[in-house]
Amino acid sequence: MAKSFLEDKEICIVAYGETKIVRRGGRSAYEIAAEVAEQLYKKTKLGPSDIDGVTFTVPISECSNPFWSGYATEYLGISAKWLQTSDIGGASAIGNVTRAAMAIKSGLCETAMILGVDAPSTQWRAYYGSYRNEFWDPVGVQGPPGAFGLLMNRYEHQYELDFRGLGALAVAQRNGAIKNPNAYEKLRHKITIDDYINSRQISSPLRLLDSVMWADGGNGLVMMKTSRAKKLGLTNRVYPISYAEISNFDCANQTPDITATGHSVVGPKVLRDAKMKAKDIDMFHPYDDFLFAVMLKAEQCGFAKKGQGSQFLRDTDLGPKGTLPINTGGGQISCGQPGLAGGGINLTEAVRQLMGEGKGRQVPNARNAMVTGIGVIPYGRNWGSANAMVLVN
Amino acid sequence: MADTNVKPRPLPKPTPATQAFWDGAKKGKLMLQWDPTTKKYQFWPRANSVRTGKRNLQWKATSGKGELYSFTITHVPTPGFEARAPYVIGMIELDEGVRIIANLINIKIDDVEIGMRMKVAWEKLSDDITYFAFEPNKRAKSKPKK
């Protein structure tokens, strides 16, 4: 395989769609998918009969359904030659862009829809097996916030953690959500660094404003060969040019440094494959379940020095016109996390910006973006799946 | 998050691969799986060695002693822990070279410190299940801070 099978720009994204994020909206994942698909048809002048490949992120609200892809595409009226539901959580969005690119490149399908739709605040259907029943739930760990509390405390023991840096990130992302009409309405108000510092402790040192809130919503993309997009007159194109993914980084090691994540591998790799350095990246759209994850990724993808992520966030202008714009639409932390479709929030914003449609929050002359994903919280570590992608316009 | 229906603390349901752990726990012994090929321990219990893939793990009773690697103070309790909140969850690095996540008991929140020596303690949850927790090992000196 070539260094990056994406680097020739043979495959492109031609449209994005996104619903508003709501809490307990009552709509199912299917109904949300219909809205995203309609937006995509409108932008591409295509219809259900033109789509022959579909990827999904497994929705929490449908994850007890063993035939989700079939039901969902039947609902949409799509006869598909290739279906894939990915279950690498928030890593699924850019993971699915790559999987769709592979399917298109290999001729399995021609026009792919990449969908993330979920309604966990309306219908929660998650069940976790493996060690959870015996070695996690009876311990009383407060889920992902508990795992991140352990991670943050260890980091603070090894390095310096300036919470005002995390607060600066909270404020920057919130400013993005205020300018993003798709963000959950109740989060579209200003906050200050002090609001972050004073927000209540959940699993200390992790606070409420470190964290995402479950919500309902969806997002999607249409992808095809660049040659086909040109024939169809689809002129606003975004190209994924490098991608890397790792699940269960260093997992046989029973006493790892838990502050080292898979992004220390995939971040540098996607930059190398894109023939770029971190300073060449115009904007960073990292998956944000917790602010601290963004901070660690800023270090491990090469934007900040090791152990100095919080100082970097504190001292850098993270807004759309700043030195390193981060999650300019608010990210999931300030938009709400539409279940496992959440990874698409970061990706959709990157694509929107690269298409020049950021409106009041447009990053001037944005030519490229790095997007990252995170999936699943493993036992006593950081995160299970880590991936990264560089996109250009 | 505030649930008015108080649910009990969840009880583990042992499987053939984990039964020996719970049998040991009932007798106050912390049993760990040991890999005879690499001569190393692993946690949490499962059917295979994470290093070789072989299903030849052996169970050994261990010291139950180790050092606190990290901790978090849980302010929002999970089901069954309402009466305990706020409570401390610790990640303990056992002397056998594995880490285990557990409740820290018999310690004041303000006294918890990364690097402190800990030993296993037991909480009886039912006739079948005795669950592990950790408490300070006051007889041991903490290692000097790195």
Side-chain angles (χ1 to χ4, degrees):
Chain A
M1 195 159 111
K3 211 174 179 191
S4 164
F5 82 100
L6 295 165
E7 71 188 340
D8 57 9
K9 295 187 179 179
E10 194 189 339
I11 312 287
C12 63
I13 297 165
V14 294
Y16 65 90
E18 188 182 62
T19 72
K20 186 167 178 67
I21 308 296
V22 297
R23 290 264 295 164
R24 298 190 184 92
R27 289 199 299 176
S28 68
Y30 303 95
E31 292 165 272
I32 293 167
E35 182 186 341
V36 175
E38 188 187 41
Q39 287 183 27
L40 294 171
Y41 299 144
K42 212 171 186 177
K43 285 186 180 178
T44 56
K45 300 189 172 62
L46 300 171
S49 61
D50 299 305
I51 306 295
D52 61 357
V54 185
T55 72
F56 295 98
T57 303
V58 62
I60 288 174
S61 56
E62 281 290 322
C63 65
S64 54
N65 178 354
F67 303 107
W68 155 252
S69 330
Y71 275 90
T73 43
E74 180 193 35
Y75 192 103
L76 296 171
I78 292 172
S79 169
K81 293 175 183 152
W82 179 77
L83 290 178
Q84 158 137 3
T85 289
S86 297
D87 68 348
I88 50 173
S92 303
I94 54 173
N96 280 344
V97 167
T98 305
R99 286 153 173 77
M102 288 162 65
I104 294 166
K105 193 145 178 160
S106 64
L108 286 173
C109 66
E110 200 173 38
T111 307
M113 194 179 268
I114 286 75
L115 285 176
V117 290
D118 202 355
S121 69
T122 291
Q123 187 70 60
W124 182 270
R125 289 192 176 114
Y127 164 78
Y128 315 93
S130 190
Y131 62 87
R132 291 281 296 251
N133 161 266
E134 290 175 88
F135 298 101
W136 185 260
D137 299 336
V139 174
V141 185
Q142 179 45 263
F148 267 74
L150 290 168
L151 176 60
M152 288 168 75
N153 214 6
R154 182 66 199 185
Y155 180 97
E156 205 180 352
H157 178 75
Q158 294 181 195
Y159 308 102
E160 266 183 66
L161 180 55
D162 183 344
F163 286 94
R164 299 194 75 81
L166 295 178
L169 175 63
V171 170
Q173 290 203 182
R174 185 56 66 92
N175 290 341
I178 290 168
K179 291 184 177 160
N180 180 359
N182 282 346
Y184 176 48
E185 211 52 46
K186 285 190 181 166
L187 295 175
R188 297 182 68 203
H189 61 84
K190 280 226 172 249
I191 56 168
T192 64
I193 292 178
D194 286 335
D195 291 336
Y196 164 77
I197 299 284
N198 297 327
S199 66
R200 70 189 167 93
Q201 297 278 345
I202 302 293
S203 192
S204 63
L206 183 127
R207 298 165 162 85
L208 183 71
L209 290 183
D210 276 302
S211 321
V212 281
M213 181 193 283
W214 287 120
D216 301 352
N219 46 67
L221 304 171
V222 172
M223 292 176 62
M224 59 182 65
K225 278 194 175 164
T226 305
S227 52
R228 178 167 155 79
K230 285 178 181 168
K231 267 186 220 150
L232 292 173
L234 297 165
T235 52
N236 207 347
R237 297 186 293 267
V238 170
Y239 307 90
I241 59 162
S242 64
Y243 176 76
E245 171 181 318
I246 185 165
S247 289
N248 305 324
F249 168 69
D250 194 26
C251 76
N253 185 350
Q254 298 291 291
T255 53
D257 173 358
I258 64 167
T259 67
T261 82
H263 282 98
S264 63
V265 178
V266 298
K269 179 167 167 48
V270 293
L271 285 174
R272 270 198 313 276
D273 289 353
K275 298 175 182 69
M276 287 181 185
K277 301 216 179 308
K279 65 173 166 51
D280 301 323
I281 294 292
D282 291 341
M283 52 184 176
F284 187 35
H285 296 274
Y287 183 87
D288 58 325
D289 45 358
F290 299 100
L291 294 171
F292 185 75
V294 173
M295 190 209 85
L296 264 193
K297 286 189 283 187
E299 291 183 15
Q300 291 170 18
C301 293
F303 298 102
K305 287 188 181 138
K306 187 178 179 179
Q308 293 179 24
S310 59
Q311 294 84 344
F312 171 81
L313 294 173
R314 185 194 61 202
D315 300 335
T316 304
D317 183 346
L318 308 170
K321 292 184 176 138
T323 327
L324 183 66
I326 295 188
N327 285 333
T328 46
Q332 298 172 72
I333 288 173
S334 270
C335 284
Q337 178 184 357
L340 296 181
I345 294 277
N346 313 94
L347 171 61
T348 304
E349 176 68 6
V351 172
R352 179 189 285 115
Q353 289 279 2
L354 288 171
M355 290 187 169
E357 296 174 3
K359 296 202 173 122
R361 59 182 194 277
Q362 178 65 41
V363 174
N365 308 314
R367 296 153 304 159
N368 65 56
M370 186 193 281
V371 182
T372 69
I374 284 179
V376 76
I377 308 295
Y379 187 89
R381 304 234 165 192
N382 39 73
W383 43 87
S385 294
N387 58 3
M389 172 173 274
V390 174
L391 301 111
V392 299
N393 56 15
Chain B
M1 249 176 257
D3 194 342
T4 46
N5 302 315
V6 175
K7 292 175 193 158
R9 182 168 167 177
L11 279 180
K13 292 181 192 73
T15 69
T18 65
Q19 188 63 51
F21 180 89
W22 300 110
D23 291 345
K26 224 170 145 177
K27 296 179 210 151
K29 283 186 182 159
L30 184 64
M31 304 294 290
L32 288 183
Q33 290 179 313
W34 185 77
D35 178 345
T37 315
T38 60
K39 300 189 169 29
K40 286 180 175 171
Y41 287 92
Q42 67 180 53
F43 187 81
W44 31 272
R46 70 196 92 180
N48 55 284
S49 161
V50 293
R51 297 179 174 96
T52 70
K54 289 183 185 167
R55 294 184 301 153
N56 62 349
L57 296 170
Q58 298 170 10
W59 286 99
K60 293 195 177 199
T62 58
S63 68
K65 288 175 186 158
E67 182 179 309
L68 190 62
Y69 180 79
S70 191
F71 67 94
T72 180
I73 299 152
T74 312
H75 298 267
V76 180
T78 61
F81 286 86
E82 293 81 359
R84 242 176 232 205
Y87 55 94
V88 190
I89 301 283
M91 196 189 310
I92 297 94
E93 184 160 320
L94 295 177
D95 295 344
E96 285 80 7
V98 298
R99 297 205 187 116
I100 183 165
I101 295 170
N103 252 254
L104 301 192
I105 58 173
N106 302 325
I107 187 165
K108 286 186 198 142
I109 285 177
D110 289 346
D111 294 341
V112 182
E113 225 181 351
I114 290 177
M116 69 193 299
R117 294 293 299 173
M118 310 292 300
K119 62 180 167 62
V120 72
W122 298 99
E123 297 183 279
K124 193 175 175 187
L125 301 188
S126 73
D127 286 345
D128 292 325
I129 296 293
T130 300
Y131 209 83
F132 55 92
F134 279 79
E135 62 184 1
N137 187 1
K138 284 176 184 152
R139 277 193 240 163
K141 279 184 189 167
S142 290
K143 280 186 194 169
K145 273 194 179 174
K146 282 166 202 166

